[in-house]
Amino acid sequence: MELARTIARPWRHPRTSLLSMVCGALLMLGTPALAQDGSFLSGGLELHYRSVGTGSPVIILSGGPGFEVDYMLPVADVFPTHRRILLEQRGTGRTRGAKLTAADMTLAAVVQDVEALRVHLKQERLFLVGHSWGGMLAMAYAAAHPDRIGRLILIDSGGPTLEFGTWFEDNIRARMRPEDVEAERYWKEAAKHGVSADKAEVEAVRAITPAYFFDRAKGLAFAAQMPDDSLDAEGSAMLFADLAKNYDVRAGLRRLDRPTLIVHGHQDPMGDKTAEDLHALIKSSTLVYLDKCGHFPWLEQPAAFRKAISGFLAESRH
C-alpha cells in the first residue's frame, strides 16, 4: 500500500503524496515476537532482518516505502512450513538512524539489497512475498534478476509503472469523509508548527486509512493501532523521488516465467486495473480477487486470503 505517507509520505508530487501512502501499510500491535535476528551487508550498509520458523525461506517485503515490517507478521503466519524472513528495508528498522542520502535511497539500491540478502541466505532462487510497495520491490527485483526468482506473491501491489497513481488518489478521496479530510489537512500543516515530520506523516496516513478498507470500522481500528514511529517520512520521500524517474518494470515482467500469485481486494483503491495489468504482463501468474476487501486482505478476508495462499503453495510446490 503504501501507506507510507503518501505512501509513506509523499514523494513531493501534488498527486503522489497520497500515492506514497498506498504502498505502505499500517502496523499492527500485539503480534508475537520473532525468534531470530540476522544481518548482512549491501553496498557497505548493514541491513537487518528478523525470522521465525524453519524450512526454505520466504522473504516478506513490507509497504511504504518506509513502513516498519511489523505489520506483516500476520502475513508471515500464513507460511508455517517456511522460514519467514522479514526484511527491515533500508531506512527502516535498525538502519533508520543511519545518515542516508538521496544517493542511498534509489530503486537500484533497494533491488541490490534483495540480491545481497539472497547471497547471504545462500539461495539459488528467492520466494518473495510483497505487499503494496513491497510488491513493487519484488517485481523490480524479478525484472532485474528473473533467473533468481522461485515464486512470487503480490498482495495488493502497486502496478508495473506509476500509472496507478492517476486513479488511486481519486479513489481514496471519493471514500474519505469530511472528518478524514479535515484531520489530514491539519496534520499536513503540523510539521510547519514544530511537530516532527514522521509524527505528522503518520497522523496524516492515519486520517486516510479508513479509505483503504471496505469495512470502515476495521480501517479505523487498524489506524488506531498504528505506532507513532511506524514510518520514515524522509527516506520514503527520497526513494519515491527516484521511483518517479526510474520505476517501470514492464519489460522485465514480460520475460518472467515463474509461478506468481496476485491477490487483490476488489475494493482496493489501487483499482482492479492495477491487478489486471500485472496479470497480463506475467504470463505465469494467477489472479485471485477477494470480494468486500480493500488493501489489507488478511484483515478483511482472512479465510479467503489463507485459502488463496495455500492453494498457490500446493500448486507451485514442484
Side-chain angles (χ1 to χ4, degrees):
M1 144 200 339
E2 175 254 329
L3 284 173
R5 192 8 169 184
T6 133
I7 146 168
R9 173 251 190 149
W11 50 18
R12 304 279 185 191
H13 183 288
R15 292 187 62 81
T16 53
S17 64
L18 249 183
L19 171 60
S20 96
M21 296 192 255
V22 99
C23 296
L26 305 171
L27 304 183
M28 288 193 63
L29 301 178
T31 48
L34 293 175
Q36 182 178 357
D37 288 347
S39 65
F40 61 98
L41 291 176
S42 177
L45 179 67
E46 184 178 24
L47 293 173
H48 300 264
Y49 60 86
R50 289 168 285 158
S51 71
V52 65
T54 59
S56 61
V58 55
I59 313 303
I60 309 294
L61 301 174
S62 56
F67 265 100
E68 302 293 336
V69 73
D70 304 61
Y71 82 94
M72 293 290 284
L73 285 168
V75 176
D77 287 344
V78 182
F79 302 88
T81 63
H82 289 74
R83 180 187 178 197
R84 285 88 81 195
I85 307 287
L86 290 100
L87 176 63
E88 296 177 6
Q89 297 177 40
R90 61 173 58 205
T92 74
R94 282 161 280 189
T95 64
R96 190 162 179 176
K99 296 181 184 284
L100 299 178
T101 67
D104 301 310
M105 299 299 292
T106 66
L107 180 61
V110 294
V111 167
Q112 175 54 38
D113 293 344
V114 178
E115 172 63 4
L117 177 58
R118 181 192 69 81
V119 173
H120 168 74
L121 295 173
K122 298 181 173 61
Q123 296 295 305
E124 181 179 356
R125 296 176 182 268
L126 289 180
F127 181 5
L128 300 178
V129 175
H131 173 243
S132 197
W133 149 252
M136 295 166 68
L137 174 54
M139 291 188 294
Y141 178 82
H145 304 289
D147 57 327
R148 297 170 191 170
I149 288 293
R151 291 181 285 186
L152 286 179
I153 297 180
L154 308 174
I155 305 168
D156 288 273
S157 175
T161 70
L162 298 179
E163 180 192 15
F164 69 92
T166 62
W167 59 78
F168 166 76
E169 184 170 351
D170 289 341
N171 288 342
I172 286 287
R173 294 293 171 198
R175 301 177 185 190
M176 291 173 66
R177 295 186 179 181
E179 59 266 34
D180 304 331
V181 174
E182 181 57 32
E184 185 198 21
R185 181 184 300 117
Y186 173 85
W187 287 108
K188 279 186 173 180
E189 297 295 320
K192 299 177 183 178
H193 303 293
V195 176
S196 75
D198 285 351
K199 167 67 173 175
E201 292 293 355
V202 168
E203 293 297 342
V205 170
R206 215 190 298 270
I208 70 166
T209 293
Y212 284 87
F213 284 73
F214 173 79
D215 185 331
R216 180 176 173 85
K218 290 183 178 179
L220 289 169
F222 192 41
Q225 295 181 73
M226 186 167 63
D228 289 345
D229 61 351
S230 57
L231 73 87
D232 171 31
E234 183 178 8
S236 175
M238 290 190 292
L239 182 51
F240 261 108
D242 185 75
L243 293 178
K245 297 179 289 185
N246 296 312
Y247 180 74
D248 184 343
V249 297
R250 289 174 293 185
L253 293 184
R254 291 188 186 100
R255 297 191 295 269
L256 184 65
D257 189 19
R258 301 302 301 166
T260 300
L261 173 65
I262 302 164
V263 181
H264 192 84
H266 256 317
Q267 285 73 38
D268 190 329
M270 291 283 195
D272 288 355
K273 184 179 185 302
T274 301
E276 290 162 6
D277 286 350
L278 295 178
H279 185 39
L281 285 167
I282 305 173
K283 58 187 175 183
S284 55
S285 65
T286 299
L287 172 57
V288 175
Y289 282 117
L290 302 183
D291 293 327
K292 297 184 178 180
C293 183
H295 198 61
F296 298 85
W298 63 93
L299 297 179
E300 293 204 88
Q301 295 295 341
F305 178 73
R306 284 181 173 270
K307 181 179 179 181
I309 300 294
S310 62
F312 174 74
L313 293 178
E315 292 173 4
S316 61
R317 184 171 297 144
H318 302 294

